[in-house]
Amino acid sequence: MLQRNAPSSIVKRLPVYLRILDNLIKKDVEIISSRTLSNQTGFTAEQIRKDLAYFGAFGTRGTGYNTVYLREKLLKIIGLDKETNVIVLGSGHLGNAFGRYNIIKNPYIRVVGMFDVDLEVIGKRVEDLHIEHFDKMSEVIKEHNVKVAVLTVPAEQAQYVVDELVKCGITAILNFAPTKLNVPKNVHVHNTDLTIELQSLIYYSSSEEEGIN
Amino acid sequence: MLQRNAPSSIVKRLPVYLRILDNLIKKDVEIISSRTLSNQTGFTAEQIRKDLAYFGAFGTRGTGYNTVYLREKLLKIIGLDKETNVIVLGSGHLGNAFGRYNIIKNPYIRVVGMFDVDLEVIGKRVEDLHIEHFDKMSEVIKEHNVKVAVLTVPAEQAQYVVDELVKCGITAILNFAPTKLNVPKNVHVHNTDLTIELQSLIYYSSSEEEGIN
DNA sequence: CTGTGTGAAGGAGTTCACAGCG
DNA sequence: CGCTGTGAACTCCTTCACACAG
């Protein structure tokens, strides 16, 4: 049942459900229907039911989903039922933002290291962390059994850093560097390229304008 | 030919091609084949050809694509042939990172305003900008004919800010706030939620581990 | 009688295979 | 002969329609 090969189209929606459940539980809502979830997510109710049903029958017919129960199931499915340690590579503006970002204050996810090569920033404090030299990376990865890394180094250094990460046993990388990373098949990379996001958005921003080239 | 309703699956790849072309042109490469582009992007060669052919026949059979010519076509298709002005809402860590990010040093895109409500940060300098109060937003949007906004405010304020943006004529929003935005159909929203990215990545990070619940 | 769970239909996007042009 | 351009096949995902359980 709890495979790790669910369609990515489903996987990327699971955290959305999780967040909404967190909010609902905070407001002491005990039951939620797929229709209400639909309103809050923008996904269709059928799709939400299919997504959840993919992992098992978590709802009650005629009633809906128990928020607390569903949340626990989702945590387990995603792998957030136990704390996940993460490291951040690169302490530029983006890495820094990431190290301080709310994400991190998420109870499930903990940043256990930030690394850079710039001697000027090494030793500086970001929240309760000190920026360390890349050299220390493998040590920290072993110590905290880290499997997930956030990559915010310049494009030119990205592949080198990734090769090191892979050697250290990292299996999932959130890549902000504007370049294609080559990794073994067992390593997952999510690319989040701000330039690309913005540029593809610009395509849509000029809808009303001229038609022909 | 130059519609604004190309499949989003294609649109999101266009900026990737553009970046590679920029790099190639910098190295004085004049011709590129879909196969080589495939190696550099990870997309299949067929897909690349389909993508480009969607907008017209830009290549030369038996040879490949002229880098400079293709780049110009892509710029026009995306809408980057003329400078695009952008504003950033929220000057927290992420907004700040964005305001300073390379993106911005992209010749096509210019950040013409950063806004916040926190009196402590208003007036501060980010690169060559001063953070201004939200009140000034509509003025700046009109002055620079801004259509694109980057939203990095807290989730609770996001919808309010978006409603204002829409009133001012913004048609495309890059949303980093972890919440669903309600907008008219003619406004495009791209959601980039760092928590969600990271959480869905964690799903894949634990692939080797236990199987059943 | 409400809302979930799900087979079946439909649609979108990708891959295949090859025709067409330089 | 090489590489683009493209119909056709295929795969994946979403939507529809409804059976089914509380």
Side-chain angles (χ1 to χ4, degrees):
Chain A
M1 178 133 309
L2 193 53
Q3 328 91 336
R4 294 278 151 197
N5 49 4
S8 63
S9 54
I10 294 181
V11 173
K12 72 183 180 210
R13 286 188 292 264
L14 299 179
V16 180
Y17 304 140
L18 185 59
R19 166 174 302 142
I20 290 174
L21 289 170
D22 281 340
N23 288 338
L24 290 170
I25 290 167
K26 228 173 271 168
K27 292 181 200 152
D28 293 318
V29 178
E30 287 177 10
I31 301 292
I32 182 86
S33 71
S34 60
R35 169 170 291 263
T36 314
L37 275 172
S38 170
N39 292 335
Q40 297 201 28
T41 57
F43 313 141
T44 67
E46 299 84 348
Q47 189 165 57
I48 292 167
R49 293 203 299 276
K50 270 253 156 88
D51 284 354
L52 300 178
Y54 178 87
F55 299 99
F58 300 147
T60 311
R61 296 183 185 214
T63 309
Y65 299 89
N66 177 292
T67 52
V68 173
Y69 179 72
L70 182 57
R71 174 176 173 277
E72 265 165 32
K73 285 295 180 186
L74 284 175
L75 286 177
K76 206 149 204 171
I77 291 164
I78 298 172
L80 291 170
D81 50 333
K82 45 199 174 296
E83 196 176 66
T84 302
N85 294 328
V86 173
I87 56 172
V88 176
L89 290 307
S91 70
H93 293 300
L94 188 59
N96 228 284
F98 212 96
R100 299 171 191 269
Y101 197 59
N102 285 336
I103 288 175
I104 310 313
K105 284 159 189 148
N106 187 306
Y108 322 122
I109 300 174
R110 201 160 75 93
V111 175
V112 295
M114 280 196 70
F115 302 91
D116 207 307
V117 284
D118 182 353
L119 294 174
E120 284 205 14
V121 301
I122 289 170
K124 278 195 183 168
R125 222 189 157 92
V126 176
E127 300 281 302
D128 54 353
L129 285 171
H130 291 274
I131 300 172
E132 295 171 80
H133 192 275
F134 271 140
D135 293 349
K136 304 281 176 61
M137 200 167 77
S138 98
E139 219 174 287
V140 173
I141 290 174
K142 266 166 210 135
E143 187 190 336
H144 293 94
N145 189 32
V146 179
K147 295 289 174 199
V148 181
V150 178
L151 194 67
T152 70
V153 303
E156 306 79 42
Q157 290 146 40
Q159 187 61 55
Y160 168 75
V161 174
V162 165
D163 291 343
E164 293 301 312
L165 288 171
V166 170
K167 275 186 213 157
C168 295
I170 293 291
T171 60
I173 298 170
L174 184 52
N175 176 36
F176 288 92
T179 186
K180 196 214 159 203
L181 301 178
N182 295 310
V183 295
K185 276 186 298 301
N186 61 316
V187 176
H188 276 263
V189 176
H190 275 216
N191 294 300
T192 301
D193 186 319
L194 301 186
T195 305
I196 284 176
E197 292 287 332
L198 195 54
Q199 288 186 351
S200 61
L201 191 60
I202 285 169
Y203 173 87
Y204 296 104
S205 72
S206 36
S207 31
E208 324 98 293
E209 292 178 39
E210 90 285 19
I212 320 150
N213 154 30
Chain B
M1 178 134 311
L2 194 52
Q3 327 94 332
R4 293 278 151 198
N5 50 3
S8 62
S9 53
I10 295 181
V11 173
K12 73 183 180 212
R13 285 189 293 263
L14 299 179
V16 180
Y17 304 141
L18 185 60
R19 165 174 304 143
I20 290 173
L21 288 170
D22 280 340
N23 289 338
L24 290 170
I25 290 166
K26 228 172 273 167
K27 293 180 200 154
D28 292 317
V29 178
E30 287 177 9
I31 300 291
I32 182 87
S33 71
S34 60
R35 168 170 291 264
T36 313
L37 275 172
S38 171
N39 292 335
Q40 297 201 28
T41 57
F43 313 141
T44 67
E46 299 85 347
Q47 187 164 58
I48 292 167
R49 294 203 299 276
K50 270 254 158 88
D51 284 353
L52 300 177
Y54 179 88
F55 300 99
F58 301 145
T60 310
R61 295 180 186 216
T63 311
Y65 300 89
N66 178 293
T67 52
V68 173
Y69 178 72
L70 183 56
R71 174 176 173 277
E72 265 165 31
K73 285 295 180 186
L74 284 176
L75 286 177
K76 206 151 203 167
I77 291 165
I78 298 173
L80 290 170
D81 51 333
K82 46 199 175 297
E83 196 176 68
T84 302
N85 293 329
V86 173
I87 55 171
V88 176
L89 289 306
S91 69
H93 293 299
L94 187 60
N96 227 285
F98 212 96
R100 298 171 191 268
Y101 197 59
N102 285 337
I103 289 176
I104 309 315
K105 284 159 190 149
N106 187 306
Y108 322 123
I109 299 174
R110 201 159 73 93
V111 176
V112 296
M114 280 196 70
F115 303 92
D116 206 306
V117 284
D118 182 354
L119 295 173
E120 283 205 12
V121 301
I122 289 170
K124 280 194 183 166
R125 222 188 159 93
V126 175
E127 299 283 301
D128 53 352
L129 284 171
H130 292 275
I131 299 172
E132 295 173 80
H133 193 275
F134 271 140
D135 294 349
K136 304 283 176 60
M137 199 168 76
S138 98
E139 219 174 283
V140 174
I141 290 173
K142 265 168 208 133
E143 188 189 338
H144 293 94
N145 188 35
V146 180
K147 295 290 174 197
V148 180
V150 178
L151 194 66
T152 70
V153 303
E156 305 78 45
Q157 288 145 42
Q159 186 61 54
Y160 168 76
V161 173
V162 165
D163 291 342
E164 293 300 312
L165 288 171
V166 170
K167 275 186 213 158
C168 295
I170 293 291
T171 60
I173 297 170
L174 184 50
N175 176 36
F176 288 92
T179 186
K180 195 212 158 202
L181 301 178
N182 295 308
V183 296
K185 275 184 299 299
N186 61 316
V187 176
H188 276 262
V189 176
H190 274 218
N191 294 301
T192 301
D193 186 318
L194 301 186
T195 305
I196 285 175
E197 293 287 333
L198 196 54
Q199 289 187 350
S200 61
L201 191 61
I202 285 169
Y203 173 87
Y204 297 104
S205 72
S206 36
S207 30
E208 324 98 289
E209 292 179 38
E210 90 287 18
I212 320 150
N213 155 33

